[in-house]
Amino acid sequence: MIEAKDINFYYGDFHALKNITMEITSNTVTAFIGPSGCGKSTFLRLFNRMNDLIDNTRLTGECLIDGQNIYSKSVRVDELRKQVGMVFQKPNPFPKTIFENVAYGLRVNDIRDKSFIAAKVEESLKSAALWEEVKDKLKKSAFELSGGQQQRLCIARALAVSPSILLMDEPASALDPISTSKIEELIHTLKQAYTIVIVTHNMQQAARISDKTGFFMLGELIEYNDTKKIFLNPDKEQTENYITGRFG
């Protein structure tokens, strides 16, 4: 369970997120849609404190995961990021072998058992629907993979440390339609074991893969509801205008 309570976020004097409150239930896919610069990626990055890396930012309100405020001083950010994995817009494999890309998080966490690491790498690649394509070339560079395969490798890398939440910031926007379809199928499968939050510019994608959708505009959460409701019968005129292409 993820809860945002009256979240306000500032880049310097710029008020990027305004009074956002929402709940995201476990084992669901939640999509954030809205025009560029509306705050959806900023909001997504709050859930694993990626915005902490940006200077001169400020947050008010509460962001809770399973009832714990993840911005309290007692929270260790490295432990939080084990629980909350992240996949970015462009595939970003490390300059290592396919095997070492997936094993990286385990090694960073001082896991040295070779048989455990090997089993976890295989399990993660299978979960990312990539094992059959790479099982015979685990020692080859990750850069030899196609863009779609690299993105699934990055998903496998995130899964290897056993998170409960997976954040995805436009994970298919740099991919071709076939690779995009594979990522969408993967998301549908993964939600049985993970809570997934995805930012997407592709409204058809949001409609296909998500259980709930939040529509953002100018830093505000305009509407948040079941995806079918958002796309077929939204409550707010602004949402309908965006969905039907009248602006944005």
Side-chain angles (χ1 to χ4, degrees):
M1 169 75 84
I2 303 171
E3 295 173 86
K5 295 183 176 180
D6 199 24
I7 291 285
N8 287 271
F9 186 80
Y10 301 83
Y11 294 107
D13 294 329
F14 177 64
H15 195 175
L17 296 173
K18 303 168 185 172
N19 307 311
I20 294 178
T21 295
M22 70 154 51
E23 288 186 1
I24 295 172
T25 53
S26 58
N27 299 103
T28 57
V29 178
T30 300
F32 297 160
I33 62 170
S36 295
C38 66
K40 54 192 185 295
S41 289
T42 296
F43 187 56
L44 181 82
R45 291 195 299 263
L46 289 179
F47 300 146
N48 70 345
R49 294 186 53 170
M50 286 292 285
N51 293 325
D52 290 15
L53 304 172
I54 303 168
D55 290 337
N56 198 23
T57 59
R58 183 164 58 89
L59 172 75
T60 64
E62 286 188 310
C63 189
L64 301 102
I65 293 177
D66 294 333
Q68 181 182 32
N69 184 0
I70 62 171
Y71 284 85
S72 76
K73 288 191 170 72
S74 62
V75 170
R76 288 179 52 190
V77 177
D78 57 337
E79 292 293 327
L80 171 70
R81 290 185 185 145
K82 273 194 251 176
Q83 184 186 1
V84 186
M86 182 105 189
V87 177
F88 296 93
Q89 183 171 359
K90 289 184 179 174
N92 60 339
F94 300 142
K96 298 174 180 286
T97 65
I98 293 167
F99 183 94
E100 286 302 329
N101 262 271
V102 184
Y104 177 81
L106 301 170
R107 298 198 194 284
V108 165
N109 288 304
D110 289 328
I111 293 170
R112 295 285 175 260
D113 184 327
K114 288 183 178 178
S115 60
F116 176 84
I117 290 173
K120 199 70 182 171
V121 167
E122 180 176 342
E123 176 192 321
S124 301
L125 287 167
K126 283 179 175 174
S127 294
L130 190 58
W131 174 252
E132 291 301 322
E133 295 165 50
V134 303
K135 63 183 179 183
D136 298 322
K137 47 185 177 183
L138 295 175
K139 293 183 179 178
K140 291 190 178 293
S141 168
F143 295 138
E144 293 185 21
L145 299 176
S146 70
Q149 288 174 321
Q150 287 184 12
Q151 191 64 301
R152 281 182 283 146
L153 180 68
C154 293
I155 293 171
R157 188 175 68 200
L159 298 180
V161 293
S162 302
S164 56
I165 296 165
L166 199 55
L167 309 178
M168 296 181 159
D169 195 353
E170 298 191 54
S173 66
L175 305 180
D176 62 85
I178 292 172
S179 297
T180 296
S181 173
K182 287 187 176 180
I183 295 289
E184 290 182 6
E185 288 173 20
L186 177 56
I187 290 169
H188 184 72
T189 303
L190 289 175
K191 80 170 182 180
Q192 296 169 38
Y194 304 91
T195 302
I196 298 173
V197 189
I198 179 170
V199 166
T200 178
H201 273 294
N202 185 329
M203 284 190 284
Q204 290 83 6
Q205 183 175 76
R208 283 192 298 265
I209 65 171
S210 67
D211 301 294
K212 289 205 159 191
T213 296
F215 169 56
F216 289 76
M217 194 170 72
L218 298 175
E220 295 184 44
L221 178 61
I222 304 299
E223 189 166 352
Y224 175 55
N225 215 321
D226 291 342
T227 295
K228 282 185 179 177
K229 169 92 171 121
I230 290 283
F231 281 93
L232 298 177
N233 185 28
D235 290 330
K236 302 287 176 68
E237 185 179 356
Q238 291 158 295
T239 311
E240 185 171 0
N241 287 342
Y242 184 73
I243 297 290
T244 56
R246 287 183 205 144
F247 77 88

